[in-house]
Amino acid sequence: MLDVRRMQVLRAVVSSGSVTAAAAHLGYTPSAVSQQIGVLEKEAGIALLERFGRGVRPTAAGRLLTEHAAVIGRQVAEAETALADLRAGRTGQISMRYFATAGADLVAPALARFRVEHPGVRVVLTIADGTPDEDADLTLVVRPRNGATAASGDGLRLVHLLDDPYRAVLPKGHPLAARRTAVDLAELAAEPWVGSERPGPCLDAVMDACAAAGFTPDIAVECEEYATAQGFVAAGLGVSLVPLTGLGSRHPNVVVRKVRGPEPVRAIHAAVRESSLSLPAVRGLVTALQEV
């Protein structure tokens, strides 16, 4: 196999027209340059240089390798520049997974802020279910409010972004809807419930809070989408708990109230691949999410 570094030595000799001049340019001794050319000729299996006057000139094989050495040299320089831009956060691509309710209020403004600082970095957004994705640079996930650690294992690091409290969603005309203060969670114990969460950490936050209030909710309607859950509540089929970020669009026939005793809360984190944290662009995106 041809040695790329020796090809660059050949290129220097051909460009300068002599071994001595090439040695001075490269910072080698003339004997070292001659040795490198000799080894390259053995690798090529053909003569690459011939004497010409007081210097040397390339043979047909020497010209061929010199042309390829020039191309390789440009490609290496381009690779070094691209790598420097990536290290500095000027270019590159970040893959990010997010769940729907985090999109409008968290992801969109964070991405707008990020692009001001890193206009050359492309962020590929994919909607997901809120579980860590090891193939993504960053995934928005939900964890228990007080149960997350900085390192989640599997090469991921958790960065806390915000606590997202749940609100009681009541049909208009419900006795508790007229109250302006927070609703005690235990006051909803005897009500039929419209479930708004699929099994997972979000539902766990609701069920744990209900258990702390001394009851298990009676799920009369199962639903895994917040807007649809509001529709069931508006129709008088039950009450529900919906996180604040899921209440961007409110049904006109429901009333939303704070909850206490205890207040259910889901904690939203960025699960960042450890290897990606070395990239300034990824750190910049995490910072933008934290600031938002």
Side-chain angles (χ1 to χ4, degrees):
M1 182 179 292
L2 298 175
D3 187 279
V4 173
R5 290 171 297 181
R6 294 190 184 105
M7 290 175 64
Q8 297 306 320
V9 172
L10 172 65
R11 179 186 174 197
V13 172
V14 172
S15 299
S16 61
S18 74
V19 170
T20 302
H25 174 72
L26 296 172
Y28 298 161
T29 63
S31 61
V33 171
S34 297
Q35 184 181 16
Q36 293 291 313
I37 296 298
V39 174
L40 183 61
E41 287 181 325
K42 288 182 180 179
E43 292 174 344
I46 191 171
L48 302 175
L49 296 174
E50 61 184 6
R51 292 195 175 277
F52 180 74
R54 294 185 177 182
V56 293
R57 65 182 180 185
T59 63
R63 286 194 299 272
L64 178 66
L65 282 191
T66 298
E67 292 170 0
H68 282 283
V71 172
I72 292 171
R74 288 195 298 270
Q75 290 177 335
V76 170
E78 290 171 0
E80 290 175 341
T81 299
L83 188 59
D85 287 340
L86 181 66
R87 286 197 304 262
R90 291 187 291 269
T91 61
Q93 178 173 296
I94 299 174
S95 58
M96 177 177 176
R97 308 285 189 267
Y98 73 101
F99 52 91
T101 55
D105 293 334
L106 178 59
V107 177
L111 188 56
R113 182 174 302 197
F114 172 80
R115 283 179 173 170
V116 173
E117 299 294 330
H118 302 272
V121 178
R122 182 175 180 232
V123 179
V124 180
L125 294 173
T126 305
I127 195 140
D129 61 0
T131 57
D133 187 337
E134 295 178 23
D135 295 328
D137 295 299
L138 187 154
T139 304
L140 294 188
V141 300
V142 175
R143 286 290 181 268
R145 186 177 191 180
N146 299 316
T149 58
S152 66
D154 298 324
L156 298 173
R157 178 169 294 275
L158 289 177
V159 179
H160 179 263
L161 298 178
L162 64 100
D163 289 331
D164 190 17
Y166 279 78
R167 296 290 186 254
V169 181
L170 310 170
K172 277 190 175 180
H174 191 281
L176 295 175
R179 187 187 302 175
R180 295 298 179 182
T181 57
V183 174
D184 288 325
L185 190 56
E187 293 181 282
L188 303 177
E191 300 280 350
W193 279 51
V194 175
S196 66
E197 302 286 7
R198 67 183 64 185
C202 296
L203 180 59
D204 291 344
V206 172
M207 299 303 288
D208 290 347
C210 290
F215 73 97
T216 299
D218 175 20
I219 307 296
V221 180
E222 291 188 357
C223 176
E224 297 179 355
E225 203 277 323
Y226 299 135
T228 303
Q230 290 187 59
F232 283 121
V233 172
L237 299 180
V239 300
S240 188
L241 292 184
V242 174
L244 193 57
T245 57
L247 289 169
S249 178
R250 299 189 183 184
H251 195 287
N253 293 323
V254 302
V255 173
V256 176
R257 292 290 180 263
K258 289 184 178 181
V259 181
R260 64 190 177 192
E263 179 186 56
V265 177
R266 66 177 186 175
I268 298 176
H269 295 75
V272 191
R273 198 161 58 188
E274 290 274 8
S275 59
S276 299
L277 282 171
S278 62
L279 300 175
V282 173
R283 296 197 301 272
L285 182 54
V286 172
T287 298
L289 287 165
Q290 288 175 310
E291 290 174 348
V292 171

